Amino acid sequence: MTSAFVPLLSLGNNGEAGLARDDYTIQPGDLLQVQIFQEDDLAREVRVTQGNSITLPLIGSVDVAGLTPKQAQDLIRELYDRDYLVNPQVNVGVTEYAPRSVNVLGAVNNPGAILFPQEEGLTLVDAIARAGSFNRYADRRKVKLSRTDADGRTVTEIIDVDDLMESGTNDSWPLSRDDVIFVPERIF
């Protein structure tokens, strides 16, 4: 089966609070710590806006859409170096990740939003388990996973969770922020 889903990055716990892995992409709602060596008055803790930007002293608004913290750091260094500082040493870290959730609806024991931390991935089966698992009326062979793609279109896949669990490939359906899982009821 060809899937239009793009797997979510599964981030491991690196044991260091506030530091993102090199492949983490900055998201709206993240809280970033921006520090410039020996320029304490320019240091800021800033929240990424819904428009994917942050505002810093002297350089103003900086678009961080699609950037990793390292790429944002390089961009900010370049902007300060252009007109204000000579060879600035910039450090950007994520101090607080934006809350992420998926919705699990239908024939589960506790339907609703399931929160998961950025450092951990979440799979389809894990999300259903966190929603109290299937209820006795659930049709496990026709679970729908809906996701909005980069073009703004909603893509829906129908997944046979019984086959998924029997095959032991639980990690084959990683979830992304705002995914919707719908478990239909069986028809008797």
PDB file of all heavy atoms in Angstrom, residues 3-33:
ATOM      1  N   SER A   3       1.589   4.994   0.814  1.00  0.00           N
ATOM      2  CA  SER A   3       1.087   5.904   1.838  1.00  0.00           C
ATOM      3  C   SER A   3       1.546   7.326   1.554  1.00  0.00           C
ATOM      4  O   SER A   3       2.696   7.556   1.223  1.00  0.00           O
ATOM      5  CB  SER A   3       1.597   5.467   3.213  1.00  0.00           C
ATOM      6  OG  SER A   3       1.182   6.388   4.177  1.00  0.00           O
ATOM      7  N   ALA A   4       0.629   8.264   1.712  1.00  0.00           N
ATOM      8  CA  ALA A   4       0.963   9.676   1.527  1.00  0.00           C
ATOM      9  C   ALA A   4       1.441  10.295   2.829  1.00  0.00           C
ATOM     10  O   ALA A   4       1.731  11.462   2.895  1.00  0.00           O
ATOM     11  CB  ALA A   4      -0.269  10.436   1.029  1.00  0.00           C
ATOM     12  N   PHE A   5       1.521   9.474   3.883  1.00  0.00           N
ATOM     13  CA  PHE A   5       1.929   9.981   5.180  1.00  0.00           C
ATOM     14  C   PHE A   5       3.429  10.142   5.249  1.00  0.00           C
ATOM     15  O   PHE A   5       4.183   9.324   4.749  1.00  0.00           O
ATOM     16  CB  PHE A   5       1.493   9.029   6.298  1.00  0.00           C
ATOM     17  CG  PHE A   5       0.017   9.072   6.551  1.00  0.00           C
ATOM     18  CD1 PHE A   5      -0.804   8.108   6.035  1.00  0.00           C
ATOM     19  CD2 PHE A   5      -0.535  10.086   7.292  1.00  0.00           C
ATOM     20  CE1 PHE A   5      -2.160   8.139   6.267  1.00  0.00           C
ATOM     21  CE2 PHE A   5      -1.890  10.136   7.526  1.00  0.00           C
ATOM     22  CZ  PHE A   5      -2.701   9.165   7.013  1.00  0.00           C
ATOM     23  N   VAL A   6       3.858  11.218   5.880  1.00  0.00           N
ATOM     24  CA  VAL A   6       5.269  11.440   6.121  1.00  0.00           C
ATOM     25  C   VAL A   6       5.510  11.098   7.584  1.00  0.00           C
ATOM     26  O   VAL A   6       4.890  11.685   8.463  1.00  0.00           O
ATOM     27  CB  VAL A   6       5.648  12.922   5.859  1.00  0.00           C
ATOM     28  CG1 VAL A   6       7.104  13.164   6.175  1.00  0.00           C
ATOM     29  CG2 VAL A   6       5.321  13.288   4.423  1.00  0.00           C
ATOM     30  N   PRO A   7       6.396  10.127   7.873  1.00  0.00           N
ATOM     31  CA  PRO A   7       6.611   9.747   9.255  1.00  0.00           C
ATOM     32  C   PRO A   7       7.131  10.904  10.096  1.00  0.00           C
ATOM     33  O   PRO A   7       7.929  11.713   9.632  1.00  0.00           O
ATOM     34  CB  PRO A   7       7.665   8.639   9.176  1.00  0.00           C
ATOM     35  CG  PRO A   7       7.671   8.197   7.770  1.00  0.00           C
ATOM     36  CD  PRO A   7       7.186   9.350   6.956  1.00  0.00           C
ATOM     37  N   LEU A   8       6.675  10.948  11.316  1.00  0.00           N
ATOM     38  CA  LEU A   8       7.134  11.938  12.271  1.00  0.00           C
ATOM     39  C   LEU A   8       8.514  11.545  12.756  1.00  0.00           C
ATOM     40  O   LEU A   8       8.802  10.371  12.901  1.00  0.00           O
ATOM     41  CB  LEU A   8       6.172  11.974  13.465  1.00  0.00           C
ATOM     42  CG  LEU A   8       6.509  12.895  14.613  1.00  0.00           C
ATOM     43  CD1 LEU A   8       6.326  14.332  14.142  1.00  0.00           C
ATOM     44  CD2 LEU A   8       5.608  12.619  15.780  1.00  0.00           C
ATOM     45  N   LEU A   9       9.357  12.503  12.995  1.00  0.00           N
ATOM     46  CA  LEU A   9      10.669  12.196  13.539  1.00  0.00           C
ATOM     47  C   LEU A   9      10.498  11.627  14.934  1.00  0.00           C
ATOM     48  O   LEU A   9       9.813  12.206  15.759  1.00  0.00           O
ATOM     49  CB  LEU A   9      11.521  13.474  13.626  1.00  0.00           C
ATOM     50  CG  LEU A   9      11.794  14.164  12.313  1.00  0.00           C
ATOM     51  CD1 LEU A   9      12.487  15.492  12.575  1.00  0.00           C
ATOM     52  CD2 LEU A   9      12.628  13.296  11.419  1.00  0.00           C
ATOM     53  N   SER A  10      11.109  10.523  15.201  1.00  0.00           N
ATOM     54  CA  SER A  10      11.073   9.938  16.524  1.00  0.00           C
ATOM     55  C   SER A  10      12.300  10.419  17.266  1.00  0.00           C
ATOM     56  O   SER A  10      13.417  10.034  16.937  1.00  0.00           O
ATOM     57  CB  SER A  10      11.064   8.414  16.433  1.00  0.00           C
ATOM     58  OG  SER A  10      11.014   7.867  17.712  1.00  0.00           O
ATOM     59  N   LEU A  11      12.092  11.280  18.223  1.00  0.00           N
ATOM     60  CA  LEU A  11      13.212  11.882  18.924  1.00  0.00           C
ATOM     61  C   LEU A  11      13.504  11.116  20.198  1.00  0.00           C
ATOM     62  O   LEU A  11      12.614  10.879  20.997  1.00  0.00           O
ATOM     63  CB  LEU A  11      12.891  13.339  19.272  1.00  0.00           C
ATOM     64  CG  LEU A  11      12.564  14.227  18.088  1.00  0.00           C
ATOM     65  CD1 LEU A  11      12.215  15.617  18.562  1.00  0.00           C
ATOM     66  CD2 LEU A  11      13.704  14.281  17.117  1.00  0.00           C
ATOM     67  N   GLY A  12      14.740  10.739  20.380  1.00  0.00           N
ATOM     68  CA  GLY A  12      15.133  10.033  21.600  1.00  0.00           C
ATOM     69  C   GLY A  12      15.424  11.022  22.703  1.00  0.00           C
ATOM     70  O   GLY A  12      15.701  12.187  22.466  1.00  0.00           O
ATOM     71  N   ASN A  13      15.386  10.542  23.932  1.00  0.00           N
ATOM     72  CA  ASN A  13      15.687  11.389  25.074  1.00  0.00           C
ATOM     73  C   ASN A  13      17.194  11.482  25.197  1.00  0.00           C
ATOM     74  O   ASN A  13      17.852  10.515  25.529  1.00  0.00           O
ATOM     75  CB  ASN A  13      15.059  10.804  26.337  1.00  0.00           C
ATOM     76  CG  ASN A  13      15.236  11.717  27.523  1.00  0.00           C
ATOM     77  OD1 ASN A  13      15.897  12.746  27.417  1.00  0.00           O
ATOM     78  ND2 ASN A  13      14.654  11.342  28.633  1.00  0.00           N
ATOM     79  N   ASN A  14      17.763  12.635  24.934  1.00  0.00           N
ATOM     80  CA  ASN A  14      19.210  12.781  24.968  1.00  0.00           C
ATOM     81  C   ASN A  14      19.716  13.125  26.365  1.00  0.00           C
ATOM     82  O   ASN A  14      20.893  13.359  26.550  1.00  0.00           O
ATOM     83  CB  ASN A  14      19.685  13.824  23.947  1.00  0.00           C
ATOM     84  CG  ASN A  14      19.097  15.194  24.183  1.00  0.00           C
ATOM     85  OD1 ASN A  14      18.511  15.455  25.228  1.00  0.00           O
ATOM     86  ND2 ASN A  14      19.239  16.059  23.219  1.00  0.00           N
ATOM     87  N   GLY A  15      18.817  13.179  27.333  1.00  0.00           N
ATOM     88  CA  GLY A  15      19.216  13.394  28.707  1.00  0.00           C
ATOM     89  C   GLY A  15      19.551  14.834  29.036  1.00  0.00           C
ATOM     90  O   GLY A  15      19.929  15.139  30.154  1.00  0.00           O
ATOM     91  N   GLU A  16      19.465  15.740  28.105  1.00  0.00           N
ATOM     92  CA  GLU A  16      19.802  17.135  28.358  1.00  0.00           C
ATOM     93  C   GLU A  16      18.546  17.980  28.212  1.00  0.00           C
ATOM     94  O   GLU A  16      17.993  18.105  27.136  1.00  0.00           O
ATOM     95  CB  GLU A  16      20.873  17.611  27.371  1.00  0.00           C
ATOM     96  CG  GLU A  16      22.177  16.861  27.513  1.00  0.00           C
ATOM     97  CD  GLU A  16      23.198  17.284  26.489  1.00  0.00           C
ATOM     98  OE1 GLU A  16      22.908  18.206  25.702  1.00  0.00           O
ATOM     99  OE2 GLU A  16      24.281  16.700  26.474  1.00  0.00           O
ATOM    100  N   ALA A  17      18.109  18.560  29.306  1.00  0.00           N
ATOM    101  CA  ALA A  17      16.894  19.368  29.288  1.00  0.00           C
ATOM    102  C   ALA A  17      17.088  20.587  28.405  1.00  0.00           C
ATOM    103  O   ALA A  17      18.109  21.259  28.459  1.00  0.00           O
ATOM    104  CB  ALA A  17      16.542  19.816  30.711  1.00  0.00           C
ATOM    105  N   GLY A  18      16.088  20.851  27.574  1.00  0.00           N
ATOM    106  CA  GLY A  18      16.096  22.065  26.773  1.00  0.00           C
ATOM    107  C   GLY A  18      16.896  21.990  25.485  1.00  0.00           C
ATOM    108  O   GLY A  18      16.995  22.968  24.788  1.00  0.00           O
ATOM    109  N   LEU A  19      17.482  20.855  25.180  1.00  0.00           N
ATOM    110  CA  LEU A  19      18.243  20.756  23.946  1.00  0.00           C
ATOM    111  C   LEU A  19      17.527  19.825  22.986  1.00  0.00           C
ATOM    112  O   LEU A  19      17.163  18.714  23.336  1.00  0.00           O
ATOM    113  CB  LEU A  19      19.657  20.223  24.214  1.00  0.00           C
ATOM    114  CG  LEU A  19      20.546  21.123  25.049  1.00  0.00           C
ATOM    115  CD1 LEU A  19      21.900  20.462  25.247  1.00  0.00           C
ATOM    116  CD2 LEU A  19      20.723  22.479  24.413  1.00  0.00           C
ATOM    117  N   ALA A  20      17.339  20.274  21.770  1.00  0.00           N
ATOM    118  CA  ALA A  20      16.673  19.467  20.754  1.00  0.00           C
ATOM    119  C   ALA A  20      17.720  18.729  19.938  1.00  0.00           C
ATOM    120  O   ALA A  20      18.854  19.175  19.835  1.00  0.00           O
ATOM    121  CB  ALA A  20      15.839  20.355  19.841  1.00  0.00           C
ATOM    122  N   ARG A  21      17.324  17.624  19.346  1.00  0.00           N
ATOM    123  CA  ARG A  21      18.227  16.921  18.452  1.00  0.00           C
ATOM    124  C   ARG A  21      18.439  17.767  17.207  1.00  0.00           C
ATOM    125  O   ARG A  21      17.662  18.651  16.889  1.00  0.00           O
ATOM    126  CB  ARG A  21      17.634  15.571  18.069  1.00  0.00           C
ATOM    127  CG  ARG A  21      17.787  14.583  19.178  1.00  0.00           C
ATOM    128  CD  ARG A  21      17.504  13.198  18.775  1.00  0.00           C
ATOM    129  NE  ARG A  21      17.515  12.978  17.332  1.00  0.00           N
ATOM    130  CZ  ARG A  21      17.341  11.810  16.783  1.00  0.00           C
ATOM    131  NH1 ARG A  21      17.139  10.770  17.529  1.00  0.00           N
ATOM    132  NH2 ARG A  21      17.343  11.654  15.479  1.00  0.00           N
ATOM    133  N   ASP A  22      19.488  17.448  16.483  1.00  0.00           N
ATOM    134  CA  ASP A  22      19.855  18.216  15.297  1.00  0.00           C
ATOM    135  C   ASP A  22      18.773  18.211  14.225  1.00  0.00           C
ATOM    136  O   ASP A  22      18.687  19.121  13.427  1.00  0.00           O
ATOM    137  CB  ASP A  22      21.151  17.681  14.698  1.00  0.00           C
ATOM    138  CG  ASP A  22      22.348  17.970  15.581  1.00  0.00           C
ATOM    139  OD1 ASP A  22      22.253  18.869  16.446  1.00  0.00           O
ATOM    140  OD2 ASP A  22      23.376  17.301  15.399  1.00  0.00           O
ATOM    141  N   ASP A  23      17.928  17.178  14.182  1.00  0.00           N
ATOM    142  CA  ASP A  23      16.932  17.066  13.126  1.00  0.00           C
ATOM    143  C   ASP A  23      15.552  17.587  13.529  1.00  0.00           C
ATOM    144  O   ASP A  23      14.629  17.517  12.744  1.00  0.00           O
ATOM    145  CB  ASP A  23      16.833  15.623  12.620  1.00  0.00           C
ATOM    146  CG  ASP A  23      16.565  14.634  13.732  1.00  0.00           C
ATOM    147  OD1 ASP A  23      16.440  15.037  14.913  1.00  0.00           O
ATOM    148  OD2 ASP A  23      16.480  13.425  13.437  1.00  0.00           O
ATOM    149  N   TYR A  24      15.420  18.141  14.719  1.00  0.00           N
ATOM    150  CA  TYR A  24      14.129  18.683  15.157  1.00  0.00           C
ATOM    151  C   TYR A  24      13.840  19.990  14.424  1.00  0.00           C
ATOM    152  O   TYR A  24      14.691  20.876  14.342  1.00  0.00           O
ATOM    153  CB  TYR A  24      14.126  18.922  16.669  1.00  0.00           C
ATOM    154  CG  TYR A  24      12.876  19.621  17.135  1.00  0.00           C
ATOM    155  CD1 TYR A  24      11.666  18.945  17.182  1.00  0.00           C
ATOM    156  CD2 TYR A  24      12.885  20.965  17.481  1.00  0.00           C
ATOM    157  CE1 TYR A  24      10.506  19.574  17.573  1.00  0.00           C
ATOM    158  CE2 TYR A  24      11.732  21.612  17.882  1.00  0.00           C
ATOM    159  CZ  TYR A  24      10.543  20.912  17.914  1.00  0.00           C
ATOM    160  OH  TYR A  24       9.385  21.544  18.300  1.00  0.00           O
ATOM    161  N   THR A  25      12.642  20.119  13.887  1.00  0.00           N
ATOM    162  CA  THR A  25      12.223  21.336  13.199  1.00  0.00           C
ATOM    163  C   THR A  25      11.417  22.198  14.163  1.00  0.00           C
ATOM    164  O   THR A  25      10.491  21.713  14.803  1.00  0.00           O
ATOM    165  CB  THR A  25      11.360  20.995  11.971  1.00  0.00           C
ATOM    166  OG1 THR A  25      12.114  20.138  11.107  1.00  0.00           O
ATOM    167  CG2 THR A  25      10.981  22.243  11.209  1.00  0.00           C
ATOM    168  N   ILE A  26      11.765  23.457  14.252  1.00  0.00           N
ATOM    169  CA  ILE A  26      11.081  24.400  15.144  1.00  0.00           C
ATOM    170  C   ILE A  26       9.614  24.507  14.747  1.00  0.00           C
ATOM    171  O   ILE A  26       9.291  24.622  13.561  1.00  0.00           O
ATOM    172  CB  ILE A  26      11.778  25.777  15.099  1.00  0.00           C
ATOM    173  CG1 ILE A  26      13.208  25.648  15.652  1.00  0.00           C
ATOM    174  CG2 ILE A  26      10.987  26.815  15.879  1.00  0.00           C
ATOM    175  CD1 ILE A  26      14.063  26.883  15.436  1.00  0.00           C
ATOM    176  N   GLN A  27       8.729  24.492  15.753  1.00  0.00           N
ATOM    177  CA  GLN A  27       7.283  24.524  15.537  1.00  0.00           C
ATOM    178  C   GLN A  27       6.679  25.780  16.174  1.00  0.00           C
ATOM    179  O   GLN A  27       7.219  26.301  17.153  1.00  0.00           O
ATOM    180  CB  GLN A  27       6.622  23.300  16.187  1.00  0.00           C
ATOM    181  CG  GLN A  27       7.142  21.973  15.701  1.00  0.00           C
ATOM    182  CD  GLN A  27       6.768  21.703  14.267  1.00  0.00           C
ATOM    183  OE1 GLN A  27       5.640  21.932  13.865  1.00  0.00           O
ATOM    184  NE2 GLN A  27       7.725  21.227  13.497  1.00  0.00           N
ATOM    185  N   PRO A  28       5.536  26.253  15.658  1.00  0.00           N
ATOM    186  CA  PRO A  28       4.837  27.356  16.335  1.00  0.00           C
ATOM    187  C   PRO A  28       4.501  26.945  17.766  1.00  0.00           C
ATOM    188  O   PRO A  28       4.097  25.807  18.013  1.00  0.00           O
ATOM    189  CB  PRO A  28       3.561  27.526  15.507  1.00  0.00           C
ATOM    190  CG  PRO A  28       3.904  26.983  14.165  1.00  0.00           C
ATOM    191  CD  PRO A  28       4.861  25.846  14.422  1.00  0.00           C
ATOM    192  N   GLY A  29       4.715  27.854  18.689  1.00  0.00           N
ATOM    193  CA  GLY A  29       4.441  27.572  20.094  1.00  0.00           C
ATOM    194  C   GLY A  29       5.662  27.129  20.876  1.00  0.00           C
ATOM    195  O   GLY A  29       5.647  27.115  22.107  1.00  0.00           O
ATOM    196  N   ASP A  30       6.763  26.756  20.194  1.00  0.00           N
ATOM    197  CA  ASP A  30       8.002  26.405  20.891  1.00  0.00           C
ATOM    198  C   ASP A  30       8.559  27.640  21.584  1.00  0.00           C
ATOM    199  O   ASP A  30       8.422  28.756  21.085  1.00  0.00           O
ATOM    200  CB  ASP A  30       9.059  25.874  19.917  1.00  0.00           C
ATOM    201  CG  ASP A  30       8.809  24.460  19.433  1.00  0.00           C
ATOM    202  OD1 ASP A  30       7.949  23.764  20.017  1.00  0.00           O
ATOM    203  OD2 ASP A  30       9.478  24.048  18.475  1.00  0.00           O
ATOM    204  N   LEU A  31       9.210  27.430  22.714  1.00  0.00           N
ATOM    205  CA  LEU A  31       9.886  28.509  23.423  1.00  0.00           C
ATOM    206  C   LEU A  31      11.383  28.334  23.180  1.00  0.00           C
ATOM    207  O   LEU A  31      11.952  27.298  23.504  1.00  0.00           O
ATOM    208  CB  LEU A  31       9.574  28.458  24.919  1.00  0.00           C
ATOM    209  CG  LEU A  31      10.089  29.611  25.764  1.00  0.00           C
ATOM    210  CD1 LEU A  31       9.470  30.936  25.320  1.00  0.00           C
ATOM    211  CD2 LEU A  31       9.804  29.362  27.234  1.00  0.00           C
ATOM    212  N   LEU A  32      12.009  29.344  22.570  1.00  0.00           N
ATOM    213  CA  LEU A  32      13.429  29.284  22.225  1.00  0.00           C
ATOM    214  C   LEU A  32      14.240  30.184  23.140  1.00  0.00           C
ATOM    215  O   LEU A  32      13.815  31.289  23.481  1.00  0.00           O
ATOM    216  CB  LEU A  32      13.656  29.730  20.775  1.00  0.00           C
ATOM    217  CG  LEU A  32      12.902  28.990  19.678  1.00  0.00           C
ATOM    218  CD1 LEU A  32      13.268  29.575  18.311  1.00  0.00           C
ATOM    219  CD2 LEU A  32      13.176  27.507  19.724  1.00  0.00           C
ATOM    220  N   GLN A  33      15.425  29.717  23.495  1.00  0.00           N
ATOM    221  CA  GLN A  33      16.394  30.511  24.247  1.00  0.00           C
ATOM    222  C   GLN A  33      17.456  30.953  23.248  1.00  0.00           C
ATOM    223  O   GLN A  33      18.109  30.110  22.631  1.00  0.00           O
ATOM    224  CB  GLN A  33      17.025  29.671  25.358  1.00  0.00           C
ATOM    225  CG  GLN A  33      18.083  30.394  26.157  1.00  0.00           C
ATOM    226  CD  GLN A  33      17.505  31.471  27.047  1.00  0.00           C
ATOM    227  OE1 GLN A  33      16.449  31.309  27.632  1.00  0.00           O
ATOM    228  NE2 GLN A  33      18.185  32.581  27.154  1.00  0.00           N
TER     229      GLN A  33
END
